[in-house]
Amino acid sequence: MAGSLIVKNIETYYGPIMAIRGVSLEVRAGQIVTLLGANGAGKTTVLKTISGAMEPQKGSVDLDGEPIVNLDPDVIARRGIAHVPEGREVFPFLSVEENLLMGAYSRKDKGVRNDLHAVYDYFPVLLEKRAQAAGFLSGGQQQMLAIGRALMLAPRIMLLDEPSLGLSPKYVAEIASIITRLNQERGITVLLVEQNVKVALDISEYGYVMENGRIVMEDTTERLKQATDIQEFYLGMKDEGVRGGRRWKQRKTWR
Amino acid sequence: MEVLQILISGVSQGCVYGLIAMGFVLIYKATEMVNFAQGELMMLGAYLAYTFINVLGMSYIPGFIATVISMAIIGVVIERGVLRPMIGEPPFAVLMITIGLGFILRAVAGAIWGTETKTLSNPFTGSVARISDLSVGYENLAIIVGTLTLCVTFYLFFRFTRLGIAMQAASQNQLAAYYVGIPVKRIYSLVWALSASLAAVAGVLVAPVSLLEPVMGFIGIKAFCAAIVGGFGSLPGAILGGLIVGVAEQFANLYLPPGIAATTAYVMLLVMLLVRPQGLFASIQQKKV
């Protein structure tokens, strides 16, 4: 199961507003790559452009060497890209199990039952609540359901948009460990957008930083953690001078 | 006994409203647009049945089936040709398109079949079932039984089949349906097929009771009231709303001064919107902001 993704120079608009100003990034098969950036930087738009929910004006997106740009989102999903959107988009009036089975709607193979059991193994709480309407689950459980449903697609690559948004620290840790396990045990490539920068840097190998619709920095997460900009802007570490103030020269902005 | 008699004719009238209302609700739930040509689809179904049975000389049941199948195809053609290019346009524009579609269908039917009334030959007319003191026309029985059968079929379809559940999924969360690989556009076409064939069934069933004429589709407006009374967006609500409106209309016909009965559906619509705007079965989800 491969799952390499090459995004080249995409430009995406919301009406007249240019949300993505030429973004290129690469996710190699089997990697976990994270996309960081402040609110409104365009991270979600990049994911939507990859999964086909938005069409770019320019640029290309290749999945394992095949161009997928301008295909319908359901076609792209069937090609093996599972997008877990921000805000736990479940089917609220369907039961948990129906939600999961809908994840495998396009599959005809015999592995669906196995994958259902695998999802219940990863998320035992879903097995407990399998007959309940998904709308009645808690936020964290809905997030697990959304990830589980994406897993049912047997994807080559998963796009995760803010999986820890609004979750308690316990759920954040659990979801982070599940993402790592999915990557290692099932070989699923992951492109992760996350507000919780510390967690994101901990579980991924490589990272991109976005500002105002552009990539402004990219490196291995080891080195990103050392970068002073990342430390200041995202991890809240401040290097305070002897006099307790900061020199004006160090104060910089990307805006 | 008289009350019971009126109740039965009200129920049979209400079933027709309910069937058309279900067509409204199906399309609304799946695609979030209101198809004001639903009544005209019913009219078209009735005329197609007339063509198959009276003109081409097919017998009733095969003619019925042929009508339903051709209406399903017409539904798909309308969705593909007229509604799909409107994706992303403002809801008001889509609504105007469906109203225009209604006008066109009426005009086309008038041009093909003529504006004078026609009668669909059917095996029911004239025969009356007697249950103790009640006498019920077979055409009314056919409407009630047909509606019941359809309701059960629809329930089973939406509850247990993969396609039915996928239709629910696409209506509950369109974007998520796309993301899990459900072919949402094809589902929309199928919803239109389903809704048009529902209209066809309503048209064939109602034809023995009322006469065929191009303006018979105006009944769709009353069905629209019924759908709102039942709670727009709920299939059981559509049937129940239809029954309530149908029964109330028959009673108004008998007990109120002449002419008032024609306004019953609209009065009920106004009252319902004032008292309980979400309808009897409030199933529409609050839109997330």
Side-chain angles (χ1 to χ4, degrees):
Chain A
M1 193 190 287
S4 74
L5 191 68
I6 296 175
V7 175
K8 264 194 207 135
N9 211 16
I10 51 170
E11 290 182 4
T12 308
Y13 288 73
Y14 283 101
I17 300 157
M18 194 178 194
I20 305 290
R21 300 156 181 268
V23 163
S24 301
L25 54 85
E26 183 179 357
V27 185
R28 299 214 187 96
Q31 266 188 327
I32 301 183
V33 170
T34 183
L35 190 55
L36 305 174
N39 287 332
K43 299 163 296 188
T44 298
T45 315
V46 169
L47 294 196
K48 281 185 175 171
T49 307
I50 294 172
S51 66
M54 295 186 70
E55 289 188 353
Q57 298 269 327
K58 273 190 198 162
S60 67
V61 182
D62 291 0
L63 172 67
D64 290 329
E66 283 179 50
I68 55 166
V69 89
N70 292 340
L71 294 178
D72 278 344
D74 55 308
V75 178
I76 292 181
R78 275 173 266 148
R79 292 276 181 96
I81 295 188
H83 186 166
V84 182
E86 187 179 353
R88 311 148 203 154
E89 302 280 345
V90 297
F91 303 121
F93 300 114
L94 297 185
S95 73
V96 167
E97 186 150 310
E98 282 168 341
N99 263 272
L100 291 174
L101 290 175
M102 277 298 112
Y105 183 80
S106 56
R107 289 174 62 189
K108 304 264 185 296
D109 56 299
K110 297 269 190 295
V112 174
R113 281 281 141 193
N114 282 339
D115 281 354
L116 187 63
H117 291 302
V119 170
Y120 285 145
D121 273 350
Y122 283 116
F123 305 107
V125 65
L126 296 184
L127 181 61
E128 232 171 84
K129 313 223 164 190
R130 58 196 282 197
Q132 248 185 48
F136 292 127
L137 297 183
S138 77
Q141 290 162 354
Q142 287 190 14
Q143 186 64 58
M144 292 177 181
L145 179 57
I147 296 178
R149 191 183 57 191
L151 207 54
M152 293 296 291
L153 195 68
R156 293 187 254 183
I157 177 160
M158 251 184 179
L159 312 178
L160 291 165
D161 197 351
E162 311 254 4
S164 77
L165 186 76
L167 300 188
S168 68
K170 176 182 155 251
Y171 273 132
V172 173
E174 187 168 347
I175 292 212
S177 82
I178 295 271
I179 294 171
T180 317
R181 278 179 64 198
L182 291 179
N183 177 252
Q184 284 166 359
E185 296 167 12
R186 319 207 117 216
I188 299 175
T189 313
V190 176
L191 178 56
L192 173 69
V193 162
E194 190 43 269
Q195 289 277 332
N196 193 328
V197 174
K198 190 174 176 322
V199 171
L201 288 177
D202 280 345
I203 64 174
S204 39
E205 285 174 49
Y206 202 82
Y208 291 86
V209 181
M210 281 188 79
E211 275 284 327
N212 282 340
R214 287 195 183 85
I215 304 267
V216 293
M217 197 189 234
E218 60 164 288
D219 216 327
T220 60
T221 46
E222 281 310 311
R223 265 182 283 175
L224 281 179
K225 280 185 209 170
Q226 307 303 320
T228 45
D229 291 336
I230 299 286
Q231 291 184 344
E232 272 183 31
F233 283 103
Y234 298 114
L235 298 176
M237 294 183 224
K238 258 192 190 153
D239 188 18
E240 296 207 346
V242 194
R243 286 172 294 179
R246 299 173 61 212
R247 299 221 7 221
W248 62 271
K249 266 187 180 169
Q250 285 175 336
R251 202 187 308 143
K252 61 177 171 183
T253 170
W254 286 327
R255 286 180 201 281
Chain B
M1 208 30 69
E2 192 188 23
V3 170
L4 214 54
Q5 192 75 53
I6 294 168
L7 195 65
I8 289 173
S9 63
V11 165
S12 102
Q13 183 63 38
C15 284
V16 174
Y17 293 152
L19 285 178
I20 305 175
M22 269 167 81
F24 274 116
V25 169
L26 269 178
I27 289 182
Y28 177 73
K29 276 186 81 159
T31 64
E32 294 194 352
M33 55 175 112
V34 179
N35 170 28
F36 276 104
Q38 195 65 33
E40 275 66 35
L41 290 180
M42 182 207 81
M43 177 269 296
L44 200 59
Y47 269 111
L48 280 180
Y50 172 82
T51 310
F52 285 128
I53 296 167
N54 286 37
V55 179
L56 299 178
M58 294 168 83
S59 49
Y60 187 74
I61 298 290
F64 200 149
I65 293 169
T67 305
V68 169
I69 292 172
S70 18
M71 280 308 288
I73 294 168
I74 289 175
V76 173
V77 169
I78 291 178
E79 197 273 337
R80 288 275 160 94
V82 183
L83 277 311
R84 193 170 291 180
M86 296 299 289
I87 287 178
E89 301 295 331
F92 187 70
V94 180
L95 188 134
M96 290 307 290
I97 284 262
T98 65
I99 293 177
L101 192 66
F103 274 96
I104 292 172
L105 291 179
R106 266 200 302 281
V108 166
I112 298 178
W113 290 285
T115 45
E116 68 276 19
T117 55
K118 296 210 162 27
T119 323
L120 174 70
S121 40
N122 61 86
F124 308 119
T125 313
S127 8
V128 171
R130 294 205 168 276
I131 309 159
S132 64
D133 280 353
L134 289 175
S135 52
V136 186
Y138 269 108
E139 63 267 29
N140 288 336
L141 271 185
I143 291 177
I144 296 174
V145 172
T147 308
L148 266 177
T149 321
L150 267 183
C151 287
V152 173
T153 318
F154 266 65
Y155 173 77
L156 296 175
F157 172 72
F158 280 112
R159 188 75 194 77
F160 296 111
T161 67
R162 216 165 71 104
L163 185 61
I165 296 173
M167 280 186 181
Q168 288 188 59
S171 93
Q172 287 171 23
N173 195 332
Q174 186 193 337
L175 195 61
Y178 266 124
Y179 286 157
V180 298
I182 294 174
V184 177
K185 286 180 183 164
R186 199 179 314 153
I187 296 265
Y188 284 176
S189 297
L190 288 175
V191 167
W192 269 82
L194 213 56
S195 174
S197 26
L198 255 180
V201 172
V204 177
L205 288 176
V206 80
V209 185
S210 74
L211 294 165
L212 299 192
E213 48 186 337
V215 292
M216 72 190 282
F218 283 130
I219 196 183
I221 300 173
K222 286 185 185 170
F224 181 69
C225 298
I228 290 178
V229 167
F232 220 85
S234 153
L235 286 177
I239 285 290
L240 189 73
L243 289 179
I244 291 173
V245 169
V247 169
E249 208 172 53
Q250 293 299 320
F251 277 103
N253 221 351
L254 186 71
Y255 294 117
L256 295 178
I260 302 281
T263 66
T264 323
Y266 314 108
V267 171
M268 292 187 73
L269 168 71
L270 285 180
V271 171
M272 190 50 105
L273 286 179
L274 289 173
V275 178
R276 194 177 152 81
Q278 70 273 41
L280 293 171
F281 285 71
S283 79
I284 298 180
Q285 228 185 326
Q286 295 276 313
K287 279 262 174 220
K288 271 185 278 180
V289 181

